[in-house]
């Protein structure tokens, strides 16, 4: 589907996942095309991508360049297969490149560290097992490719009559990038800004020390950008970037308030806090599967760590468990 003159949206299926599709964007140039994100590695997704290219009279070999917004499986998983089939050049951010080895190649070590991390944040040892291995299935959906070009943010990528500025927007992932076309007022927003859902922002072994703070800063940077159309990686294309950013920032402020209210009685671990919050997927903690319980916990931690930076909460470690409490107000 041509969603803007010269830009096609390809809907690559994400099987058995509530998101349904990844929106990949194809921009046609004189010497090959540029693709933003690939979809994940499943036979159905690869087939669908090839069929949609075929519908445009193209093959994988016509894709000269791929920009990966971030290396989550649904955006990056097909990179290796595309690379095998075509001399396509891949570009992604330095901090995404830095995640690949640990996340997709030497994953056993990361998993082991994850188990310890979860216990430190209050998960009872006997419950840690399923949470520790909860992201293992994602490995099947990734074939690794390394970037031919490392991005830092600030680069201009020329394709046809598009001049795409690379905007580094950390938060959902440390090296997430958006692409901005100033003369056409288009923003390819990846998972950074979505019209209906908010992306998971987690504090974990691969996030920075304050991923939610990074995320909010990255959103605020986009606030005043002249943008007519936002082309996100999930859901639908939309207008009204500034209003959507306002809503997302407000949502996280509300969530912080909810977390603070769990701390009125006594210090609690992130595990015990997360159990008390409402979760939109199943609402009740006990009905969340291991993957969602872990995401819920690391998301709670992202809010707690941001509030710790803001001086609203403190954390203390006792008996090997980290607990958070309301900051004691000092001063006159
Ligand atoms: Zn993502
Ligand atoms: Zn995604």
């Amino acid at each position: 589907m041509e969603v803007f003159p010269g830009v096609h949206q390809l809907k690559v299926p994400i099987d058995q996942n509530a998101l349904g599709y990844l929106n990949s964007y194809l921009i046609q140039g004189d010497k090959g095309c540029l693709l933003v994100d690939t979809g994940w590695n499943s036979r159905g997704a690869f087939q669908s991508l090839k069929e949609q290219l075929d519908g445009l009279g193209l093959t994988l070999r016509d894709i000269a360049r791929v920009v990966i917004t971030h290396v989550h499986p649904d955006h990056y998983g097909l990179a290796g297969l595309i690379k095998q089939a075509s001399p396509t050049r891949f570009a992604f951010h330095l901090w995404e490149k830095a995640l690949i080895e640990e996340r997709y190649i030497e994953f056993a070590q990361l998993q082991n560290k994850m188990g310890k991390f979860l216990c430190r944040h209050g998960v009872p040892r006997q419950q840690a097992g399923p949470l520790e291995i909860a992201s293992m299935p994602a490995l099947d959906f990734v074939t690794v490719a390394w970037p031919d070009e490392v991005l830092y943010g600030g680069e201009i990528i020329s394709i046809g009559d598009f001049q795409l500025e690379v905007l580094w927007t950390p938060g959902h992932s440390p090296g997430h990038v958006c692409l901005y076309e100033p003369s056409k007022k288009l923003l390819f927003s990846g998972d950074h800004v979505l019209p209906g859902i908010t992306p998971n922002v987690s504090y974990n072994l691969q996030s920075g020390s304050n991923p939610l703070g990074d995320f909010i800063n990255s959103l605020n940077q986009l606030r005043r950008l002249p943008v007519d159309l936002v082309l996100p990686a999930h859901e639908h294309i939309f207008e009204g970037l500034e209003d959507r950013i306002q809503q997302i920032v407000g949502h996280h402020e509300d969530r912080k308030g909810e977390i603070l209210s769990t701390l009125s009685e006594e210090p609690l671990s992130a595990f015990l806090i997360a159990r008390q919050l409402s979760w939109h997927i199943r609402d009740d903690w006990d009905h969340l599967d291991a993957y969602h319980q872990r995401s819920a916990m690391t998301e709670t931690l992202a809010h707690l760590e941001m509030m710790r930076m803001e001086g609203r909460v403190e954390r203390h470690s006792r008996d090997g468990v980290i607990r958070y409490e309301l900051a004691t107000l000092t001063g006159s």
Side-chain angles (χ1 to χ4, degrees):
M1 180 170 58
E2 191 168 37
V3 291
F4 186 87
V7 182
H8 285 88
Q9 185 189 57
L10 311 180
K11 287 194 153 311
V12 187
I14 315 174
D15 341 87
Q16 294 161 18
N17 186 294
L19 289 170
Y21 291 91
L22 171 98
N23 300 324
S24 173
Y25 295 96
L26 182 96
I27 304 171
Q28 287 176 300
D30 317 322
K31 297 183 195 130
C33 305
L34 179 134
L35 192 71
V36 183
D37 289 339
T38 65
W40 75 6
N41 175 35
S42 75
R43 198 176 299 189
F46 197 35
Q47 194 56 32
S48 168
L49 178 66
K50 287 191 285 191
E51 281 171 13
Q52 291 179 70
L53 289 172
D54 189 50
L56 298 169
L58 302 168
T59 70
L60 290 174
R61 297 188 70 82
D62 293 307
I63 302 173
R65 215 166 180 187
V66 175
V67 175
I68 299 288
T69 59
H70 61 301
V71 300
H72 287 171
D74 50 328
H75 300 253
Y76 164 72
L78 278 174
L81 287 188
I82 294 173
K83 197 87 177 163
Q84 284 166 27
S86 154
T88 304
R89 289 176 64 76
F90 279 79
F92 46 94
H93 194 276
L94 177 70
W95 293 121
E96 296 300 291
K97 182 188 175 196
L99 301 178
I100 289 175
E101 177 92 17
E102 200 177 35
R103 183 183 282 230
Y104 297 128
I105 300 171
E106 299 293 343
F107 50 85
Q109 285 175 31
L110 182 64
Q111 199 176 296
N112 195 278
K113 285 191 234 167
M114 190 64 187
K116 294 191 175 110
F117 174 89
L118 292 168
C119 290
R120 236 180 8 257
H121 285 287
V123 176
R125 196 158 294 280
Q126 61 278 17
Q127 291 179 38
L131 267 61
E132 183 181 317
I133 59 165
S135 61
M136 280 294 279
L139 293 172
D140 295 340
F141 297 107
V142 175
T143 51
V144 166
W146 294 97
D148 302 284
E149 186 185 348
V150 169
L151 304 173
Y152 296 85
E155 296 87 351
I156 306 289
I157 297 177
S158 299
I159 175 86
D161 62 348
F162 288 72
Q163 303 290 320
L164 301 164
E165 187 183 339
V166 178
L167 306 177
W168 178 37
T169 49
H172 172 61
S173 192
H176 188 289
V177 295
C178 296
L179 296 176
Y180 176 52
E181 215 309 338
S183 68
K184 298 179 170 45
K185 297 193 172 72
L186 297 180
L187 181 74
F188 296 88
S189 64
D191 278 356
H192 185 51
V193 194
L194 300 167
I197 52 176
T198 53
N200 173 287
V201 178
S202 280
Y203 173 83
N204 58 38
L205 296 162
Q206 289 198 319
S207 65
S209 57
N210 184 10
L212 186 60
D214 294 341
F215 179 66
I216 301 294
N217 284 339
S218 307
L219 285 174
N220 285 333
Q221 274 175 34
L222 302 186
R223 237 179 231 265
R224 305 255 172 260
L225 218 55
V227 169
D228 287 343
L229 214 54
V230 185
L231 299 95
H234 302 289
E235 303 185 297
H236 55 84
I237 291 171
F238 65 101
E239 296 169 6
L241 175 67
E242 196 175 351
D243 288 349
R244 182 61 189 139
I245 289 175
Q246 187 64 37
Q247 282 173 1
I248 297 171
V249 172
H251 160 80
H252 287 291
E253 275 308 311
D254 292 349
R255 205 62 174 154
K256 284 182 189 169
E258 221 182 306
I259 289 172
L260 286 177
S261 67
T262 67
L263 294 175
S264 56
E265 305 277 316
E266 54 174 346
L268 292 173
S269 68
F271 175 70
L272 290 179
I273 297 168
R275 288 185 64 99
Q276 294 185 36
L277 302 174
S278 60
W279 296 99
H280 66 276
I281 296 178
R282 292 278 189 283
D283 198 59
D284 173 3
W285 174 269
D286 293 317
H287 292 112
L288 295 177
D289 60 25
Y291 177 80
H292 287 106
Q293 282 189 354
R294 186 169 110 180
S295 304
M297 216 184 119
T298 51
E299 222 173 294
T300 303
L301 273 166
H303 289 84
L304 286 162
E305 284 299 309
M306 184 171 177
M307 290 195 284
R308 195 162 75 88
M309 303 288 172
E310 294 168 339
R312 296 158 83 180
V313 299
E314 292 170 358
R315 71 178 207 186
H316 303 284
S317 178
R318 199 171 348 114
D319 306 326
V321 174
I322 294 169
R323 292 181 181 81
Y324 290 84
E325 63 182 325
L326 297 177
T328 39
L329 293 173
T330 52
S332 51

